[in-house]
Amino acid sequence: MTTDSLPVRTDVRPQPPKDSRPARRSLRTRLRPGAGRQHHAGPLTYLLLTVAALVSLFPLYWTMVAASTDNTRVSQTPPPFLPGPHLLENLGKAWQDAALGKAMVNSFIVAGVIALSTVLFATLAGFAFAKLRFKGRNILLMLVIGTMMVPPQLSVVPLFMMMTDLGWGQKLPAVIFPTLVSAVGVFFMRQYLSEALPDELVEAGRIDGAHSLRIFWSIVLPIARPPMAVLFMITFVHAWNDFFWPFIVLDMTNPTVPVALTQLSAGYIRDQSLIMAGALLGTLPLLVMFVVFGRQIVGGIMQGAVKG
Amino acid sequence: MATSLPTTRTGERERPRQRRRTLLHRLDLRGAPYAFITPFFVVFAAFSFYPLVYTAWISLHRVELATMNVMEWVAFDNYTALWQDERFWNALLNTLTLGVLSTVPQLMTALGLAHLLNYRLRGSTFFRVAAITPYATSVGAAALVFTMLFERDFGMINWMLSLVGVDNVDWENNKWAAQTAISTIVIWRWTGYNALLYLAAMQAVPRDRYEAAAIDGASRWQQFVSVTIPGIRSTIVFTIVLSTIGATQLFGEPLIFGQGPMGVTGGADNQYQTLGLLLYEEGWKNYQMGRAATVAWVMFLLLILVFVVQRVVKRLASRRASSVRTS
């Protein structure tokens, strides 16, 4: 942490945070705002942000601690702050007690299929709304935006009847089908493609005699790859964590992870360290994803991906 | 046989093919856009729109979970029964208080956090990823962990409170304590996510506004209030709308906080039963699908009501503002 002033840059591009060092805040640097980044962070900012990061991460850390001790140690006062020796043992037990093996496989299938289909259909529809001319385009787009306002929870009663009639009760398709598409995804792809896909490219494809699907395949898809990746991850997170509908339509013989976790709290096993081990296992796949792709996910959310 | 075909033989062969190509091309131009948007609308119609309408229809009937094909017409009986049901008013009130308790602090904190993240930082990626890590945690896992942290006899939170001399709080059975604990789960999961939405909006606020404010001698706080907040107003409205929709549907947090079977009733005295829980209890505990559909439809009407009110308030506020400006 050096305090020597950096040479004052006169360009007005927002600087990447990497090469900006906390410098002594002369008036000149203070009044030289980058786009939105108008000031260097002071020690207080770092302190507050560190507290925020701790609050965010501590419950997860503590889950790990609790999952690695035994039941009597968890409930002592003061509570333990350091991991104990029983982590793997507890993870193994929780894995069996909550039938987490099957739940994990189910969750991967559900979240994977939903994320794939959401991305595919959102890109198709987003491309049509962004670049193709057709009658009723604006009205239909308004309709898509309007559907965002319909909370999915309101249709659970007839959905449950439908799924029972179809013989899909307790089966994965009952969870997958209602969420195969997402209005937010369509809107997100449309916004991106309106800006990122030049009209000339589409025209050029037409002149070469390519039909629409061909244009979509060879011109749109390569350009749309980054937002598709982001949409995939965010949809995956939401589908993995979805609770209300899966909880209603699935049972403990064939659960997704969040549904299986309720089994742990339902009182048959009041073993706190096992409960925590289960919670940790259920969160692990997404945590790994966030550690690996954290930067991309942050970028995606900031590009205007939306709470689903 | 005498048709007016062109005389050259090549023309004879070229024409139909040409015609077929232009026809296909036109068909493609006209039809493809509809083909591309069809999947979305088909799935939406089948699994969202149709069920929504059908929910209204079911709510006018008596339907038992075991015999779902038998629908007995009862007109608005379900609605009048709901109106007279104490549990409904209790759940409605709980949904409102939980909504306020979880949304207001959440968005305030998110705003502050976004402001901090907006400084030039070292390790900004780390702070941002840390902020949205809770969002990676499922309702199930988060609720389990917090239920334990809020445990009455050996929970971490009561232990911390005991350090500063506060007696053990019964987070489970005391109404306001329970609602605070449940709101904490929601706040923890969503604050970072909203902060990132605000941050994105803050970075789009033009710099010259800040410069102008600074030249006018505005302090940092004044700049925040008079430049930043107006600059991200639309995003703030957007998050309020989303959080409101989210808050009306609280389900997983109170269910798991109540630890399974007790959770459906939202505590021993329904002290934190939400409308979502009531819907589930009516349909899948009391086996009355008609009543569950009624609760669902009432929830929908309430949401619409909230937005109508919000529109009217906004209209009035803007009219007042414009009349102030013109006077």
Side-chain angles (χ1 to χ4, degrees):
Chain A
M1 296 289 265
T2 52
T3 48
D4 51 331
S5 290
L6 291 163
V8 175
R9 293 173 55 164
T10 47
D11 59 353
V12 289
R13 279 185 306 110
Q15 298 171 25
K18 255 178 285 177
D19 57 16
S20 65
R21 321 234 297 280
R24 201 183 317 131
R25 284 203 306 274
S26 65
L27 191 69
R28 279 171 79 185
T29 42
R30 210 184 309 163
L31 296 183
R32 207 194 60 240
R37 289 179 189 281
Q38 67 272 38
H39 303 291
H40 282 292
L44 182 64
T45 305
Y46 280 105
L47 181 72
L48 288 171
L49 281 173
T50 307
V51 170
L54 277 178
V55 170
S56 287
L57 299 175
F58 180 76
L60 292 168
Y61 169 76
W62 192 79
T63 308
M64 202 265 296
V65 170
S68 66
T69 56
D70 57 37
N71 201 25
T72 48
R73 180 74 188 89
V74 168
S75 46
Q76 282 169 355
T77 39
F81 281 94
L82 292 173
H86 301 287
L87 184 61
L88 290 177
E89 179 191 334
N90 285 339
L91 290 181
K93 265 196 219 161
W95 181 270
Q96 281 176 339
D97 281 345
L100 272 177
K102 183 157 188 151
M104 286 272 181
V105 173
N106 281 346
S107 273
F108 269 108
I109 293 171
V110 167
V113 172
I114 288 175
L116 274 177
S117 79
T118 298
V119 168
L120 173 68
F121 294 141
T123 313
L124 272 172
F127 166 54
F129 281 124
K131 294 291 162 185
L132 301 179
R133 313 256 164 282
F134 55 98
K135 270 208 187 82
R137 186 170 83 157
N138 293 343
I139 291 171
L140 286 168
L141 184 63
M142 289 307 289
L143 201 60
V144 171
I145 294 170
T147 64
M148 289 185 202
M149 290 291 145
V150 180
Q153 275 76 347
L154 297 185
S155 36
V156 289
V157 175
L159 269 185
F160 187 80
M161 295 182 176
M162 269 164 80
M163 296 305 172
T164 312
D165 281 346
L166 289 166
W168 287 354
Q170 294 95 41
K171 297 205 180 80
L172 294 188
V175 177
I176 292 172
F177 270 87
T179 32
L180 275 180
V181 296
S182 124
V184 174
V186 172
F187 191 67
F188 175 64
M189 292 308 295
R190 177 193 169 266
Q191 297 304 79
Y192 181 89
L193 287 173
S194 307
E195 287 173 19
L197 179 65
D199 286 337
E200 295 79 28
L201 270 183
V202 181
E203 292 305 316
R206 290 245 182 263
I207 290 165
D208 289 346
H211 50 85
S212 298
L213 204 57
R214 181 71 205 275
I215 291 176
F216 176 78
W217 184 256
S218 333
I219 299 175
V220 179
L221 279 187
I223 287 183
R225 219 168 270 155
M228 283 167 82
V230 164
L231 186 62
F232 182 90
M233 284 193 282
I234 287 173
T235 312
F236 192 93
V237 171
H238 281 284
W240 182 280
N241 288 340
D242 192 21
F243 182 71
F244 188 61
W245 173 237
F247 179 75
I248 286 175
V249 82
L250 298 178
D251 61 13
M252 285 306 166
T253 58
N254 191 28
T256 55
V257 169
V259 177
L261 288 180
T262 58
Q263 179 79 354
L264 284 172
S265 70
Y268 303 117
I269 14 167
R270 297 294 320 140
D271 184 330
Q272 301 287 8
S273 50
L274 281 193
I275 292 178
M276 291 298 103
L280 187 63
L281 279 173
T283 311
L284 218 49
L286 289 193
L287 279 184
V288 169
M289 193 164 114
F290 269 57
V291 169
V292 178
F293 297 112
R295 186 186 291 260
Q296 286 80 349
I297 294 173
V298 167
I301 293 172
M302 285 179 65
Q303 278 168 35
V306 179
K307 220 196 256 196
Chain B
M1 291 295 285
T3 47
S4 56
L5 273 175
T7 47
T8 51
R9 293 192 64 92
T10 47
E12 253 172 81
R13 252 190 323 241
E14 285 296 306
R15 267 293 166 80
R17 191 189 297 170
Q18 192 78 40
R19 206 176 301 153
R20 200 168 27 197
R21 270 187 62 174
T22 50
L23 185 73
L24 271 178
H25 180 70
R26 250 202 259 135
L27 204 68
D28 174 55
L29 269 186
R30 287 266 167 80
Y34 296 108
F36 286 179
I37 61 173
T38 298
F40 172 83
F41 283 105
V42 166
V43 175
F44 179 81
F47 294 106
S48 296
F49 186 70
Y50 162 75
L52 184 78
V53 177
Y54 196 41
T55 300
W57 181 242
I58 295 171
S59 74
L60 303 174
H61 294 76
R62 180 188 163 88
V63 189
E64 303 252 349
L65 183 66
T67 52
M68 283 191 297
N69 299 328
V70 185
M71 294 175 68
E72 184 194 336
W73 173 261
V74 294
F76 287 96
D77 283 6
N78 285 329
Y79 287 88
T80 48
L82 195 68
W83 184 265
Q84 290 156 1
D85 192 341
E86 259 178 44
R87 288 174 317 150
F88 165 69
W89 296 105
N90 173 58
L92 179 62
L93 205 61
N94 285 342
T95 305
L96 282 177
T97 50
L98 275 169
V100 171
L101 278 174
S102 59
T103 305
V104 175
Q106 178 195 136
L107 296 183
M108 294 283 213
T109 317
L111 199 57
L113 186 59
H115 181 67
L116 293 175
L117 287 169
N118 202 8
Y119 282 104
R120 290 191 189 175
L121 286 170
R122 296 178 142 204
S124 63
T125 303
F126 165 76
F127 286 121
R128 288 177 193 181
V129 174
I132 54 156
T133 306
Y135 156 82
T137 321
S138 71
V139 176
L144 284 177
V145 175
F146 275 86
T147 302
M148 232 180 123
L149 290 171
F150 279 111
E151 223 280 335
R152 187 187 60 198
D153 299 318
F154 56 82
M156 172 93 56
I157 304 223
N158 273 350
W159 173 74
M160 284 180 180
L161 288 175
S162 72
L163 295 182
V164 291
V166 180
D167 285 340
N168 271 4
V169 179
D170 190 346
W171 295 105
E172 163 76 20
N173 291 315
N174 175 317
K175 177 170 181 162
W176 293 111
Q179 295 209 359
T180 307
I182 290 164
S183 303
T184 307
I185 307 172
V186 183
I187 293 168
W188 179 74
R189 274 187 74 217
W190 289 106
T191 298
Y193 187 89
N194 285 312
L196 285 188
L197 294 184
Y198 289 157
L199 177 62
M202 281 178 187
Q203 295 190 334
V205 177
R207 284 179 307 159
D208 44 337
R209 292 192 200 166
Y210 287 103
E211 282 166 12
I215 289 167
D216 289 345
S219 70
R220 288 228 192 149
W221 172 248
Q222 285 166 327
Q223 285 181 32
F224 179 71
V225 171
S226 60
V227 179
T228 308
I229 293 194
I232 63 169
R233 228 187 79 193
S234 60
T235 307
I236 293 179
V237 170
F238 178 71
T239 53
I240 290 175
V241 168
L242 282 180
S243 305
T244 308
I245 293 178
T248 52
Q249 296 168 32
L250 266 187
F251 176 77
E253 289 89 347
L255 179 87
I256 295 171
F257 184 78
Q259 306 186 346
M262 283 278 280
V264 178
T265 58
D269 309 324
N270 309 100
Q271 66 268 32
Y272 48 88
Q273 181 170 48
T274 59
L275 286 171
L277 285 174
L278 184 67
L279 187 163
Y280 182 81
E281 189 186 19
E282 288 291 38
W284 284 271
K285 265 249 168 328
N286 305 335
Y287 311 130
Q288 296 296 334
M289 300 302 269
R291 289 189 161 204
T294 309
V295 177
W297 195 243
V298 167
M299 281 168 83
F300 188 46
L301 292 178
L302 278 173
L303 260 186
I304 293 174
L305 187 73
V306 167
F307 288 123
V308 169
V309 168
Q310 185 242 338
R311 269 286 151 82
V312 169
V313 169
K314 206 171 144 188
R315 181 87 30 104
L316 286 175
S318 65
R319 197 172 292 168
R320 193 170 305 153
S322 62
S323 67
V324 168
R325 233 174 280 141
T326 49
S327 61

